Amino acid sequence: MGGPRLLSPVAAAAVAAAAAIAAVAAEPGDALHCPITIVGGGMGGAYTAWRLAVDAKVVRPADICLFEANARLGGRIFSVGNVPGYEGFVTDMGAYRFHRTNHPLIRSLVEDRLKMETGCYTDATTTLPMDTPDCPSAKTLSATTRTRSYLGNLTTQTGYKLDEWTPDVPYFLTDEEKWGAGQARKTRRTVASVLFGNDSLIPEMASRWDALHDNRLTVEAAMALADETIAALRAGTYKGVPYAEVSGVQIARDAGISPEEMALDTALGYTSWFQGNVLGALIVAAREAATARLPLPPTGPAAAMVVPVTSNGAGRKRAGMVTIVDKMVGEARAAGVRVFMGHRAVGVRRVSACDASTYETGTAPLLVSFANGVGVATGRLFLNMDQPGLIALGAGSEPMASAGTDFKRRVDGAGVLGVSKTYCFWPRAWWLADLGLTRGSGRFETPAVANTRYHDGPVQCADPADLATCRGGLLVDYSGSDPTGAASGLYAASYADAPSSPRSDAEPYTLLLANSTVPRHRLALAAIVDGLRTSHTPVLDGLGLTPDVIPDPDVCLVASWYDIGVHMHRPVPRLSPAVVSEELFVKPVVDLPIHLVNEAWGGISGWSESSLLSAERALGVHLKVPAPAWLDRRVYDALITNFNKGA
């Protein structure tokens, strides 16, 4: 039996046409054989199955088995559509958007190949047409710093930038650290200001910044310049230390940014992202400057964040990111791919001689074990697992058992950044109707409400022109910036119904109902309502409104991705510094056909684009699957074939 058979396009089309949709079930103790096994039904796993069986048609669909641990697909993409009292309002409790030029792979997949419609993420009521030339701005409304509020202009919503220093900012800033009129510094210093721009302390970036962002550059010239920049960054060092082994925060501290300035930056942004190795952030910045010039379909908005949408006019609504996964898996299943739900992998090992009598192993080199007793012999294995999931398989499981020290060190460095999301639902969208907040964010320092996004939430309006007719949900908090836990996934995790980890069956969200009889739920709801009213006091006062304008919600959903969330690759020393991490991740063991396909291993922290990059690199480089016809060849060559290594 051995490994998968690669088919000619004609033969593959014939097999796909004859395949029937079939429900697949495996019983405890079953011994299966799957030439290609995919563990994990998230974006990376779904894409791998779909590309092989449906898009490229290079493997017989029946030779592919997709196993998912949960009763749902998506992984960290978690779209909830059954909120009590608000059925049909789809809420993305996990990953939820992508950028049309920064993320060319998923944009091309969704819009060009799958023909799915997207809308502006910053369109609160999702009523704008797809062909709008620009999406609404998402500037921040206000920021509260240690119980005092600095209020931005309610029209321009620029409070987040804090362009002028004010004594209301209660941090112990010296005269050297202040900014504004009469001060030595004209703008607030941030970690980002040290790393990016033509004043960057990274010479390879500073010397090319203006050229990278020259609007006169063609796509070809921009990609070539980005390649040159990336190659220089990979060879560069900070005080003799490779950029991959130093963090952005380390560089900022060396530059003189004080803990007080850092605290302010953390309160208003995502400084914790810069705890990761700075090379990754620099490469992403250089590449995005180039892909920003890629041509987009004439029917869509310009470079912007978008979400999947469905229907038209007043009935238009957010469809949820899981619709992308569902469509790919649906097409793969229809072609004949076998899909097994409720199968949690617990180990991977090399096939031994004694396995042959139990499993029809043939020449299959790997055996995958599942918690329900099912075992699968396979010729090639794709693990759509994050770092905690991979670690949970154990040190004796492949690929950790046979991988080198260099790979293990980089896996250990792929730490999880705890984030959380809280959506609450009301019969009247008060933030739209009463406060007039249709876009932007509010940055606050109450425990349960630190970052509110007024354009984010499933809202439906009887009359889109009359915001008083709108009802639905609001993203009252999206936190990930405070490592103390007061405004991060740790706070939300503290009142989750059950811990969520690769070893548990618990989902990463908690449902909070009004008038709940569960004491912990009542405590959480009280903190959310108090946080909303306290944080919005300056806004309410400015409009002459009282706190009761913000009523108790009917229901809140809280998702904590603290233990299985977004990945941040720390600056750990590499034993083989010349080897790109993504090359090790995509095939960890030289003599085993195992590939990691997940956000954790693609090089772009926190985005579905990273899952697709890791999957496409495994398919194109190691299985020699032809490049997608729907993806720009320049992007494919630079990001996939060349692993974003630069020229």
Side-chain angles (χ1 to χ4, degrees):
M1 293 185 177
R5 287 194 298 152
L6 297 184
L7 303 179
S8 69
V10 174
V15 171
I21 303 175
V24 180
E27 298 297 329
D30 279 359
L32 304 177
H33 176 83
C34 297
I36 285 184
T37 297
I38 302 167
V39 174
M43 181 66 76
Y47 179 79
T48 299
W50 175 84
R51 269 281 281 150
L52 289 170
V54 179
D55 188 53
K57 295 184 174 68
V58 294
V59 174
R60 293 189 309 174
D63 284 348
I64 303 172
C65 296
L66 172 63
F67 295 89
E68 166 55 43
N70 300 301
R72 64 173 180 87
L73 296 166
R76 203 171 60 82
I77 295 174
F78 190 8
S79 303
V80 177
N82 57 346
V83 179
Y86 295 86
E87 292 76 7
F89 288 68
V90 180
T91 309
D92 273 319
M93 301 306 301
Y96 60 110
R97 59 181 182 167
F98 62 88
H99 196 283
R100 299 188 79 224
T101 57
N102 290 355
H103 306 145
L105 184 49
I106 192 168
R107 189 214 65 78
S108 300
L109 168 69
V110 172
E111 296 181 1
D112 295 338
R113 179 60 175 83
L114 298 179
K115 303 299 182 183
M116 299 175 68
E117 188 176 14
T118 58
C120 296
Y121 163 65
T122 49
D123 177 14
T125 58
T126 62
T127 56
L128 291 177
M130 178 60 181
D131 59 357
T132 184
D134 293 295
C135 291
S137 169
K139 292 181 179 178
T140 301
L141 171 70
S142 60
T144 303
T145 56
R146 294 188 183 175
T147 72
R148 294 188 181 182
S149 296
Y150 181 93
L151 188 62
N153 183 283
L154 288 174
T155 301
T156 59
Q157 298 183 319
T158 56
Y160 169 48
K161 292 186 177 181
L162 293 180
D163 291 323
E164 296 181 0
W165 181 80
T166 167
D168 289 335
V169 177
Y171 289 90
F172 299 102
L173 302 178
T174 67
D175 288 341
E176 174 78 3
E177 295 160 352
K178 296 175 184 176
W179 66 95
Q183 302 298 333
R185 304 189 186 282
K186 299 301 181 184
T187 58
R188 184 169 64 89
R189 297 191 302 174
T190 66
V191 178
S193 70
V194 169
L195 303 178
F196 307 120
N198 52 21
D199 293 327
S200 168
L201 296 184
I202 310 298
E204 296 86 353
M205 182 63 77
S207 61
R208 297 173 177 86
W209 186 264
D210 288 340
L212 281 168
H213 296 82
D214 186 342
N215 291 330
R216 296 169 297 180
L217 280 184
T218 64
V219 176
E220 290 76 11
M223 292 293 282
L225 183 57
D227 279 340
E228 174 194 305
T229 305
I230 290 170
L233 289 167
R234 290 195 182 280
T237 63
Y238 174 74
K239 297 183 178 180
V241 180
Y243 291 131
E245 299 179 15
V246 64
S247 75
V249 169
Q250 285 176 280
I251 297 175
R253 290 291 288 118
D254 283 354
I257 294 186
S258 69
E260 287 75 21
E261 287 180 286
M262 198 79 72
L264 178 57
D265 198 20
T266 300
L268 299 180
Y270 289 95
T271 302
S272 51
W273 288 104
F274 296 119
Q275 296 282 9
N277 82 75
V278 74
L279 178 63
L282 295 171
I283 288 175
V284 169
R287 185 60 71 199
E288 289 180 353
T291 58
R293 289 161 179 75
L294 289 171
L296 293 172
T299 56
M305 291 287 184
V306 293
V307 293
V309 296
T310 185
S311 300
N312 298 297
R316 186 183 181 91
K317 62 180 181 179
R318 301 187 180 204
M321 280 287 285
V322 80
T323 55
I324 304 170
V325 175
D326 285 343
K327 185 162 188 177
M328 289 191 291
V329 173
E331 292 182 3
R333 191 196 297 265
V337 171
R338 292 177 281 172
V339 179
F340 301 81
M341 305 300 292
H343 286 62
R344 185 179 299 279
V346 294
V348 178
R349 62 178 173 83
R350 294 173 185 262
V351 168
S352 64
C354 63
D355 292 323
S357 60
T358 304
Y359 303 90
E360 297 180 13
T361 58
T363 58
L366 294 167
L367 189 68
V368 185
S369 301
F370 295 88
N372 58 3
V374 172
V376 179
T378 187
R380 189 170 294 270
L381 176 62
F382 295 86
L383 294 176
N384 180 197
M385 287 182 165
D386 59 7
Q387 190 255 26
L390 192 65
I391 297 297
L393 290 179
S397 175
E398 301 295 353
M400 299 299 285
S402 299
T405 303
D406 196 14
F407 169 78
K408 296 175 183 177
R409 177 175 291 179
R410 298 185 196 210
V411 168
D412 288 340
V416 174
L417 177 65
V419 296
S420 67
K421 298 178 78 174
T422 299
Y423 286 89
C424 294
F425 290 76
W426 290 267
R428 173 186 172 88
W430 52 266
W431 60 99
L432 302 175
D434 301 319
L435 274 60
L437 301 177
T438 60
R439 58 190 174 93
S441 301
R443 303 278 186 170
F444 312 112
E445 284 198 5
T446 61
V449 179
N451 178 7
T452 302
R453 297 191 177 183
Y454 305 102
H455 53 268
D456 192 329
V459 172
Q460 296 179 24
C461 308
D463 178 4
D466 182 4
L467 297 180
T469 67
C470 300
R471 65 189 294 262
L474 169 68
L475 180 56
V476 301
D477 182 62
Y478 185 23
S479 297
S481 59
D482 183 358
T484 67
S488 74
L490 180 58
Y491 182 86
S494 67
Y495 53 76
D497 282 339
S500 177
S501 79
R503 296 166 300 281
S504 76
D505 293 321
E507 288 286 20
Y509 89 109
T510 300
L511 182 68
L512 306 176
L513 296 172
N515 302 316
S516 172
T517 59
V518 180
R520 296 174 69 255
H521 288 190
R522 293 203 304 269
L523 182 67
L525 279 169
I528 291 170
V529 173
D530 179 69
L532 282 171
R533 291 172 177 166
T534 299
S535 62
H536 285 83
T537 295
V539 182
L540 297 171
D541 290 346
L543 296 174
L545 300 173
T546 57
D548 58 8
V549 167
I550 305 177
D552 291 354
D554 289 337
V555 59
C556 293
L557 291 177
V558 184
S560 170
W561 302 94
Y562 188 73
D563 295 306
I564 51 174
V566 176
H567 293 81
M568 174 189 66
H569 289 264
R570 296 193 294 268
V572 297
R574 278 87 162 122
L575 297 178
S576 55
V579 176
V580 173
S581 292
E582 288 73 35
E583 288 184 287
L584 283 179
F585 295 150
V586 81
K587 193 173 187 296
V589 183
V590 173
D591 67 332
L592 287 179
I594 300 178
H595 312 284
L596 303 183
V597 292
N598 185 270
E599 169 265 336
W601 320 115
I604 304 179
S605 297
W607 296 98
S608 293
E609 182 81 353
S610 196
S611 295
L612 298 186
L613 284 173
S614 61
E616 192 59 53
R617 286 164 179 159
L619 296 172
V621 175
H622 293 285
L623 270 71
K624 307 303 180 185
V625 176
W630 37 267
L631 181 63
D632 188 288
R633 186 67 198 205
R634 294 160 297 197
V635 171
Y636 185 87
D637 290 342
L639 278 70
I640 307 301
T641 305
N642 200 31
F643 282 90
N644 227 355
K645 290 188 290 188

